[in-house]
Amino acid sequence: MNEIDIKFLEDSFKKYYFNHFDLISTPQRTSEREFGYQKFNSGMFRHISLKDDKELHLLFMQNIPSDVYCSNAYYSFPNSPMNEKDWQEADLIFDIDAKDLNLSCRKNHTISICNECDKVSKDVNQCVKCNSTKLEKKSLPCKNCIDASKIEVNKLSNVLINDLGIDKENIYVYFSGNEGFHVYVFNSQFQKIGSKERSELVDYIMFRGAIPETFGMKKFKPNRSLFPDFNQKGWNGRFSKQVFGSKSKRSKIISELLDNGYPSFQKILDDVSENIGVKIDPNVTMDIHRIFRLPGSINSKSGLTKILCTNLTKFDPYTDACFLNDDSVEVLANCPIEFKLKNKKFGPYINEKISLPTYVAVYLICKKLATIA
Amino acid sequence: MLILGQDEKAKYPFLADAGEYLKDKGFSLVQFGSDPVLKLSVEKALHRIKVAAAGEVYKSDLIDGQASKDYVLEREVFSFLLAIVLIKLTGMSTLIKRFALAEARRAENYLEKDLGNASNKSKIDLATRIIYDLFNIEIIKENDFFVIPVSDYLKHSVTFHEREWKLINRHVENGKVFLTPDKTVRLIRKELGNYISSKIINAPKPSMIPGLESIVNELILISKKLTPTYTITTGEYPPCIKHAIDVLEKGENLPHSGRFMLATFLLSRGQTVQQIAPLFKNAPDYNPRVTFYQLNHLAGISGSATKYACPSCEKLKTQDLCFITKECDNIINPLQFGKKRKL
Ligand code: SF4
Ligand SMILES: [Zn+2]
Ligand SMILES: [Zn+2]
């Protein structure tokens, strides 16, 4: 990214931070957390500890970071090197990202930028200008992407509350600032469990590793009375809804399952996992030393804010997470698809000089689809 | 502290305070070396250790956890306490491991029966108390099941590699896992073994009791024969392999990936399936038939007939199996350990 663009982004971010400290506060037990930040065109600064909001705001004003992070873990010595931090516990965190959902809309709003000649085009596998296959993909997620992610968030909450006994009040859903949601769980029985245990939780939530016996199918002398039913709690009930469809079909389908036998039942389990399993990023939940984008901070991949969703159904990131101002700036834009911000349509722009509101200019520059003219 | 009845002490003798028990009964250790009646308990203790050394579980004279006569009960406890004394006198750590493991299995059987005893609430209470006092896991009975918090379940089950133990294959509701008595007990198997072996290790070493010298010597001989052959093969083993052998020797669970590494390593070093199989004998889920089958498979003797290679250091690092030291010297496969030419 060039100096002028960086200067523009930094100025815009700084204004936002200065005016929105109300949105940025340190998480509970601040002094036990590790903080980190990045500046434009530079590496990561980690292992920082902060006392309170004041120190955090100072960090923003002094460094004008492109991204700010905070650990979900609590440490005795958060500013020591990793192996000396003395890990105590960590909030449970889940990452749901539209790009992991195999959505058919993706190809419509994915843009390829050629690494060799900078040619920008709609999603391709090979540069249309120089035939290079070294392409950087940028996505401008659509409403469908967000809606599909919300469905996964709701599936996740359902498992967390009903199966894992987590209080609704302890679940916080944040828009990640780009293509999905981060779900935080505070004060649960899982605070102190390690990475391996978290990985088991992940498999449970994603419906991975199920064996036929768990759902009533025995290897030898299978018996129809063991199959699950609709009113059962947990995965048995969800499995029934998915596989039997309706109460009237249950008996017939069980007969089919019995006829088809054990190996085919295993196959069905693997298939339904795609539908009923919650699509979270397993690595994020398993990692107990990670730092996560700080709520209230801007995501430099989009210029949108990572923000708490108090009403997920109504939440629209392109208005509710878009906080930058409307001052117009002149940019050279090259964005072959249309998108919406603050309820207004923009684009497509084919290599054109145009005057745009700051929040749009930032969005495009962050996606590498425009530069300051 | 748990207050134990007589038959509970016989079932779970590791809970009894050895010194106090003997004093209560009006005996001193020295008497066991000479008194002909008490010698019966010594013989029983010896038998108990021999059975454990052979990898089996000692069958006591209790019937359904009850003793027909008081002295039978007493002898049960005596023989356990004496067995510890004898093992301490031999100073052989192999015996401690084997004995603790076998006694844990034995206690497991009783715990399972007590938990499953629907008609006797006090038995259930005692078993859950033992599990709580010793391992800090709170188990609550709900109808025919025992429920424990998911987090506690995970802490113990993650070391098991059978798919059946994955959380997804358990009945989970409202933050709790529902278990049958046998699964409940299986969950704490390792801890039970550790508890018993730490009790033995921490017991003070007594001085030789006159009259028991020959028995102690016999046990030392048995133990020496047990010391497995794999430790005397030529060539140093890399840290990852040593660690895996260690885990197995302690009777702890080695994940499937670890067993795979160990087996393929030793096969490549020219050991036979027959030589390797005993290594897995202490594993909590040992099954000779399955072990042989799997080893033959890896060796390319049965099934696919492909011989499996030992995984690379890089792969083992991602599996948390690497315990690198300076001696590893930048090798890329454990098989190169100690063979790399010095420049
Ligand atoms: S570096 Fe290789 S040989 Fe050494 S411990 Fe790690 S895996 Fe084993
Ligand atoms: Zn190109
Ligand atoms: Zn989309």
Side-chain angles (χ1 to χ4, degrees), chain B residues 265-295:
Chain B
F265 177 90
L266 294 174
L267 286 168
S268 298
R269 281 266 174 114
Q271 300 214 10
T272 64
V273 169
Q274 279 67 26
Q275 282 171 312
I276 298 170
L279 261 177
F280 297 95
K281 205 169 169 169
N282 286 348
D285 51 1
Y286 178 70
N287 174 332
R289 211 171 47 83
V290 174
T291 303
F292 270 100
Y293 171 78
Q294 288 172 340
L295 286 173

mmCIF file of all heavy atoms in Angstrom, chain B residues 265-295:
data_model
loop_
_atom_site.group_PDB
_atom_site.id
_atom_site.type_symbol
_atom_site.label_atom_id
_atom_site.label_comp_id
_atom_site.label_asym_id
_atom_site.label_seq_id
_atom_site.Cartn_x
_atom_site.Cartn_y
_atom_site.Cartn_z
ATOM 1 N N PHE B 265 8.706 -47.283 14.218
ATOM 2 C CA PHE B 265 10.120 -47.066 14.527
ATOM 3 C C PHE B 265 10.798 -48.400 14.846
ATOM 4 O O PHE B 265 11.825 -48.758 14.269
ATOM 5 C CB PHE B 265 10.266 -46.107 15.714
ATOM 6 C CG PHE B 265 11.687 -45.882 16.139
ATOM 7 C CD1 PHE B 265 12.439 -44.850 15.580
ATOM 8 C CD2 PHE B 265 12.293 -46.699 17.092
ATOM 9 C CE1 PHE B 265 13.752 -44.639 15.954
ATOM 10 C CE2 PHE B 265 13.615 -46.496 17.475
ATOM 11 C CZ PHE B 265 14.347 -45.462 16.903
ATOM 12 N N LEU B 266 10.194 -49.140 15.777
ATOM 13 C CA LEU B 266 10.828 -50.384 16.208
ATOM 14 C C LEU B 266 10.846 -51.424 15.090
ATOM 15 O O LEU B 266 11.812 -52.171 14.946
ATOM 16 C CB LEU B 266 10.108 -50.930 17.445
ATOM 17 C CG LEU B 266 10.255 -50.039 18.692
ATOM 18 C CD1 LEU B 266 9.387 -50.559 19.830
ATOM 19 C CD2 LEU B 266 11.708 -49.954 19.141
ATOM 20 N N LEU B 267 9.801 -51.447 14.288
ATOM 21 C CA LEU B 267 9.782 -52.385 13.160
ATOM 22 C C LEU B 267 10.925 -52.054 12.197
ATOM 23 O O LEU B 267 11.628 -52.947 11.726
ATOM 24 C CB LEU B 267 8.437 -52.326 12.434
ATOM 25 C CG LEU B 267 7.254 -52.979 13.169
ATOM 26 C CD1 LEU B 267 5.935 -52.606 12.511
ATOM 27 C CD2 LEU B 267 7.413 -54.500 13.225
ATOM 28 N N SER B 268 11.117 -50.762 11.972
ATOM 29 C CA SER B 268 12.191 -50.367 11.061
ATOM 30 C C SER B 268 13.565 -50.712 11.626
ATOM 31 O O SER B 268 14.510 -50.927 10.893
ATOM 32 C CB SER B 268 12.156 -48.865 10.790
ATOM 33 O OG SER B 268 10.958 -48.530 10.171
ATOM 34 N N ARG B 269 13.650 -50.710 12.959
ATOM 35 C CA ARG B 269 14.920 -51.073 13.583
ATOM 36 C C ARG B 269 15.100 -52.591 13.634
ATOM 37 O O ARG B 269 15.972 -53.089 14.320
ATOM 38 C CB ARG B 269 14.984 -50.525 15.010
ATOM 39 C CG ARG B 269 15.320 -49.057 15.073
ATOM 40 C CD ARG B 269 16.822 -48.849 15.244
ATOM 41 N NE ARG B 269 17.187 -47.460 15.168
ATOM 42 C CZ ARG B 269 17.673 -46.759 16.188
ATOM 43 N NH1 ARG B 269 17.833 -47.325 17.373
ATOM 44 N NH2 ARG B 269 18.005 -45.504 16.017
ATOM 45 N N GLY B 270 14.196 -53.294 13.003
ATOM 46 C CA GLY B 270 14.386 -54.733 12.868
ATOM 47 C C GLY B 270 13.759 -55.564 13.966
ATOM 48 O O GLY B 270 13.982 -56.768 14.048
ATOM 49 N N GLN B 271 12.969 -54.939 14.855
ATOM 50 C CA GLN B 271 12.317 -55.754 15.869
ATOM 51 C C GLN B 271 11.109 -56.460 15.264
ATOM 52 O O GLN B 271 10.515 -55.989 14.295
ATOM 53 C CB GLN B 271 11.882 -54.875 17.036
ATOM 54 C CG GLN B 271 13.058 -54.171 17.668
ATOM 55 C CD GLN B 271 12.887 -53.998 19.155
ATOM 56 O OE1 GLN B 271 11.992 -54.544 19.778
ATOM 57 N NE2 GLN B 271 13.784 -53.229 19.736
ATOM 58 N N THR B 272 10.751 -57.570 15.881
ATOM 59 C CA THR B 272 9.621 -58.323 15.343
ATOM 60 C C THR B 272 8.338 -57.929 16.068
ATOM 61 O O THR B 272 8.385 -57.346 17.152
ATOM 62 C CB THR B 272 9.824 -59.830 15.544
ATOM 63 O OG1 THR B 272 9.853 -60.070 16.955
ATOM 64 C CG2 THR B 272 11.113 -60.312 14.918
ATOM 65 N N VAL B 273 7.234 -58.292 15.452
ATOM 66 C CA VAL B 273 5.942 -58.026 16.073
ATOM 67 C C VAL B 273 5.882 -58.665 17.458
ATOM 68 O O VAL B 273 5.403 -58.070 18.417
ATOM 69 C CB VAL B 273 4.813 -58.548 15.163
ATOM 70 C CG1 VAL B 273 3.479 -58.530 15.884
ATOM 71 C CG2 VAL B 273 4.740 -57.718 13.891
ATOM 72 N N GLN B 274 6.437 -59.882 17.565
ATOM 73 C CA GLN B 274 6.415 -60.579 18.856
ATOM 74 C C GLN B 274 7.209 -59.821 19.918
ATOM 75 O O GLN B 274 6.876 -59.835 21.083
ATOM 76 C CB GLN B 274 6.987 -62.004 18.726
ATOM 77 C CG GLN B 274 6.009 -63.026 18.192
ATOM 78 C CD GLN B 274 5.636 -62.765 16.733
ATOM 79 O OE1 GLN B 274 6.399 -62.160 15.972
ATOM 80 N NE2 GLN B 274 4.449 -63.199 16.342
ATOM 81 N N GLN B 275 8.273 -59.160 19.476
ATOM 82 C CA GLN B 275 9.073 -58.414 20.445
ATOM 83 C C GLN B 275 8.384 -57.126 20.867
ATOM 84 O O GLN B 275 8.551 -56.660 21.985
ATOM 85 C CB GLN B 275 10.439 -58.058 19.834
ATOM 86 C CG GLN B 275 11.404 -59.223 19.817
ATOM 87 C CD GLN B 275 12.646 -58.880 19.016
ATOM 88 O OE1 GLN B 275 12.566 -58.373 17.897
ATOM 89 N NE2 GLN B 275 13.805 -59.141 19.596
ATOM 90 N N ILE B 276 7.635 -56.555 19.950
ATOM 91 C CA ILE B 276 7.065 -55.237 20.217
ATOM 92 C C ILE B 276 5.759 -55.314 21.005
ATOM 93 O O ILE B 276 5.504 -54.499 21.881
ATOM 94 C CB ILE B 276 6.830 -54.479 18.889
ATOM 95 C CG1 ILE B 276 8.171 -54.262 18.180
ATOM 96 C CG2 ILE B 276 6.162 -53.147 19.135
ATOM 97 C CD1 ILE B 276 8.023 -53.739 16.774
ATOM 98 N N ALA B 277 4.969 -56.325 20.692
ATOM 99 C CA ALA B 277 3.628 -56.404 21.283
ATOM 100 C C ALA B 277 3.596 -56.225 22.811
ATOM 101 O O ALA B 277 2.745 -55.501 23.321
ATOM 102 C CB ALA B 277 2.962 -57.710 20.879
ATOM 103 N N PRO B 278 4.539 -56.859 23.553
ATOM 104 C CA PRO B 278 4.445 -56.734 25.014
ATOM 105 C C PRO B 278 4.529 -55.292 25.520
ATOM 106 O O PRO B 278 4.056 -54.984 26.602
ATOM 107 C CB PRO B 278 5.654 -57.537 25.509
ATOM 108 C CG PRO B 278 6.002 -58.448 24.400
ATOM 109 C CD PRO B 278 5.637 -57.732 23.140
ATOM 110 N N LEU B 279 5.122 -54.428 24.708
ATOM 111 C CA LEU B 279 5.213 -53.019 25.083
ATOM 112 C C LEU B 279 3.854 -52.423 25.405
ATOM 113 O O LEU B 279 3.713 -51.539 26.224
ATOM 114 C CB LEU B 279 5.777 -52.229 23.900
ATOM 115 C CG LEU B 279 7.239 -51.879 23.901
ATOM 116 C CD1 LEU B 279 7.572 -51.183 22.608
ATOM 117 C CD2 LEU B 279 7.556 -50.993 25.074
ATOM 118 N N PHE B 280 2.857 -52.907 24.680
ATOM 119 C CA PHE B 280 1.541 -52.295 24.795
ATOM 120 C C PHE B 280 0.699 -52.941 25.892
ATOM 121 O O PHE B 280 -0.435 -52.588 26.117
ATOM 122 C CB PHE B 280 0.806 -52.383 23.451
ATOM 123 C CG PHE B 280 1.520 -51.626 22.370
ATOM 124 C CD1 PHE B 280 2.407 -52.258 21.514
ATOM 125 C CD2 PHE B 280 1.337 -50.259 22.246
ATOM 126 C CE1 PHE B 280 3.080 -51.551 20.533
ATOM 127 C CE2 PHE B 280 2.005 -49.537 21.275
ATOM 128 C CZ PHE B 280 2.882 -50.193 20.418
ATOM 129 N N LYS B 281 1.313 -53.879 26.581
ATOM 130 C CA LYS B 281 0.568 -54.666 27.536
ATOM 131 C C LYS B 281 -0.041 -53.829 28.669
ATOM 132 O O LYS B 281 -1.097 -54.141 29.193
ATOM 133 C CB LYS B 281 1.496 -55.721 28.133
ATOM 134 C CG LYS B 281 0.753 -56.906 28.645
ATOM 135 C CD LYS B 281 1.671 -58.045 28.973
ATOM 136 C CE LYS B 281 0.843 -59.069 29.725
ATOM 137 N NZ LYS B 281 1.500 -60.323 29.899
ATOM 138 N N ASN B 282 0.663 -52.786 29.062
ATOM 139 C CA ASN B 282 0.165 -51.968 30.165
ATOM 140 C C ASN B 282 -0.857 -50.924 29.744
ATOM 141 O O ASN B 282 -1.415 -50.241 30.581
ATOM 142 C CB ASN B 282 1.312 -51.239 30.847
ATOM 143 C CG ASN B 282 2.137 -52.184 31.688
ATOM 144 O OD1 ASN B 282 1.718 -53.306 31.931
ATOM 145 N ND2 ASN B 282 3.285 -51.732 32.130
ATOM 146 N N ALA B 283 -1.054 -50.787 28.454
ATOM 147 C CA ALA B 283 -1.986 -49.752 28.008
ATOM 148 C C ALA B 283 -3.363 -50.022 28.597
ATOM 149 O O ALA B 283 -3.768 -51.171 28.731
ATOM 150 C CB ALA B 283 -2.061 -49.728 26.486
ATOM 151 N N PRO B 284 -4.056 -48.950 28.960
ATOM 152 C CA PRO B 284 -5.347 -49.121 29.637
ATOM 153 C C PRO B 284 -6.352 -49.919 28.815
ATOM 154 O O PRO B 284 -7.252 -50.513 29.360
ATOM 155 C CB PRO B 284 -5.853 -47.694 29.833
ATOM 156 C CG PRO B 284 -4.714 -46.793 29.560
ATOM 157 C CD PRO B 284 -3.683 -47.557 28.796
ATOM 158 N N ASP B 285 -6.161 -49.935 27.512
ATOM 159 C CA ASP B 285 -7.144 -50.640 26.696
ATOM 160 C C ASP B 285 -6.511 -51.819 25.963
ATOM 161 O O ASP B 285 -6.897 -52.146 24.866
ATOM 162 C CB ASP B 285 -7.770 -49.674 25.691
ATOM 163 C CG ASP B 285 -6.698 -48.923 24.913
ATOM 164 O OD1 ASP B 285 -5.490 -49.184 25.168
ATOM 165 O OD2 ASP B 285 -7.053 -48.093 24.073
ATOM 166 N N TYR B 286 -5.517 -52.438 26.604
ATOM 167 C CA TYR B 286 -4.783 -53.503 25.937
ATOM 168 C C TYR B 286 -5.680 -54.675 25.554
ATOM 169 O O TYR B 286 -6.481 -55.145 26.350
ATOM 170 C CB TYR B 286 -3.660 -53.993 26.848
ATOM 171 C CG TYR B 286 -2.868 -55.130 26.248
ATOM 172 C CD1 TYR B 286 -2.032 -54.902 25.166
ATOM 173 C CD2 TYR B 286 -2.971 -56.420 26.765
ATOM 174 C CE1 TYR B 286 -1.310 -55.937 24.610
ATOM 175 C CE2 TYR B 286 -2.247 -57.461 26.215
ATOM 176 C CZ TYR B 286 -1.415 -57.216 25.128
ATOM 177 O OH TYR B 286 -0.698 -58.233 24.577
ATOM 178 N N ASN B 287 -5.529 -55.094 24.342
ATOM 179 C CA ASN B 287 -6.242 -56.269 23.872
ATOM 180 C C ASN B 287 -5.261 -56.992 22.947
ATOM 181 O O ASN B 287 -4.937 -56.489 21.881
ATOM 182 C CB ASN B 287 -7.493 -55.822 23.118
ATOM 183 C CG ASN B 287 -8.218 -57.002 22.470
ATOM 184 O OD1 ASN B 287 -7.617 -58.016 22.116
ATOM 185 N ND2 ASN B 287 -9.505 -56.849 22.310
ATOM 186 N N PRO B 288 -4.755 -58.158 23.387
ATOM 187 C CA PRO B 288 -3.658 -58.794 22.647
ATOM 188 C C PRO B 288 -4.005 -59.058 21.183
ATOM 189 O O PRO B 288 -3.192 -58.835 20.290
ATOM 190 C CB PRO B 288 -3.422 -60.102 23.404
ATOM 191 C CG PRO B 288 -4.511 -60.235 24.389
ATOM 192 C CD PRO B 288 -5.158 -58.901 24.578
ATOM 193 N N ARG B 289 -5.233 -59.496 20.957
ATOM 194 C CA ARG B 289 -5.611 -59.862 19.601
ATOM 195 C C ARG B 289 -5.535 -58.640 18.672
ATOM 196 O O ARG B 289 -4.937 -58.679 17.608
ATOM 197 C CB ARG B 289 -7.025 -60.433 19.600
ATOM 198 C CG ARG B 289 -7.291 -61.473 18.543
ATOM 199 C CD ARG B 289 -8.651 -62.123 18.790
ATOM 200 N NE ARG B 289 -9.667 -61.112 19.056
ATOM 201 C CZ ARG B 289 -10.328 -60.442 18.104
ATOM 202 N NH1 ARG B 289 -10.099 -60.692 16.842
ATOM 203 N NH2 ARG B 289 -11.223 -59.537 18.434
ATOM 204 N N VAL B 290 -6.133 -57.546 19.166
ATOM 205 C CA VAL B 290 -6.154 -56.324 18.367
ATOM 206 C C VAL B 290 -4.737 -55.800 18.150
ATOM 207 O O VAL B 290 -4.354 -55.390 17.051
ATOM 208 C CB VAL B 290 -7.030 -55.252 19.058
ATOM 209 C CG1 VAL B 290 -6.935 -53.931 18.311
ATOM 210 C CG2 VAL B 290 -8.474 -55.724 19.148
ATOM 211 N N THR B 291 -3.938 -55.838 19.223
ATOM 212 C CA THR B 291 -2.572 -55.329 19.122
ATOM 213 C C THR B 291 -1.784 -56.094 18.062
ATOM 214 O O THR B 291 -1.123 -55.496 17.217
ATOM 215 C CB THR B 291 -1.866 -55.444 20.485
ATOM 216 O OG1 THR B 291 -2.646 -54.724 21.436
ATOM 217 C CG2 THR B 291 -0.465 -54.847 20.416
ATOM 218 N N PHE B 292 -1.873 -57.411 18.111
ATOM 219 C CA PHE B 292 -1.141 -58.204 17.115
ATOM 220 C C PHE B 292 -1.630 -57.910 15.707
ATOM 221 O O PHE B 292 -0.857 -57.754 14.775
ATOM 222 C CB PHE B 292 -1.268 -59.708 17.421
ATOM 223 C CG PHE B 292 -0.182 -60.187 18.319
ATOM 224 C CD1 PHE B 292 -0.401 -60.360 19.676
ATOM 225 C CD2 PHE B 292 1.106 -60.438 17.816
ATOM 226 C CE1 PHE B 292 0.615 -60.774 20.518
ATOM 227 C CE2 PHE B 292 2.120 -60.850 18.649
ATOM 228 C CZ PHE B 292 1.881 -61.023 20.016
ATOM 229 N N TYR B 293 -2.937 -57.818 15.616
ATOM 230 C CA TYR B 293 -3.498 -57.528 14.304
ATOM 231 C C TYR B 293 -2.941 -56.211 13.761
ATOM 232 O O TYR B 293 -2.465 -56.119 12.636
ATOM 233 C CB TYR B 293 -5.026 -57.457 14.388
ATOM 234 C CG TYR B 293 -5.645 -56.960 13.116
ATOM 235 C CD1 TYR B 293 -5.777 -57.814 12.016
ATOM 236 C CD2 TYR B 293 -6.038 -55.628 12.974
ATOM 237 C CE1 TYR B 293 -6.310 -57.355 10.830
ATOM 238 C CE2 TYR B 293 -6.565 -55.169 11.788
ATOM 239 C CZ TYR B 293 -6.703 -56.033 10.723
ATOM 240 O OH TYR B 293 -7.219 -55.576 9.553
ATOM 241 N N GLN B 294 -2.965 -55.183 14.634
ATOM 242 C CA GLN B 294 -2.517 -53.865 14.180
ATOM 243 C C GLN B 294 -1.028 -53.852 13.851
ATOM 244 O O GLN B 294 -0.601 -53.257 12.864
ATOM 245 C CB GLN B 294 -2.833 -52.806 15.238
ATOM 246 C CG GLN B 294 -4.328 -52.525 15.299
ATOM 247 C CD GLN B 294 -4.702 -51.637 16.469
ATOM 248 O OE1 GLN B 294 -3.940 -51.523 17.422
ATOM 249 N NE2 GLN B 294 -5.877 -51.028 16.396
ATOM 250 N N LEU B 295 -0.253 -54.514 14.691
ATOM 251 C CA LEU B 295 1.188 -54.532 14.443
ATOM 252 C C LEU B 295 1.503 -55.259 13.141
ATOM 253 O O LEU B 295 2.321 -54.809 12.344
ATOM 254 C CB LEU B 295 1.919 -55.200 15.614
ATOM 255 C CG LEU B 295 2.018 -54.345 16.878
ATOM 256 C CD1 LEU B 295 2.601 -55.156 18.021
ATOM 257 C CD2 LEU B 295 2.859 -53.102 16.631
#
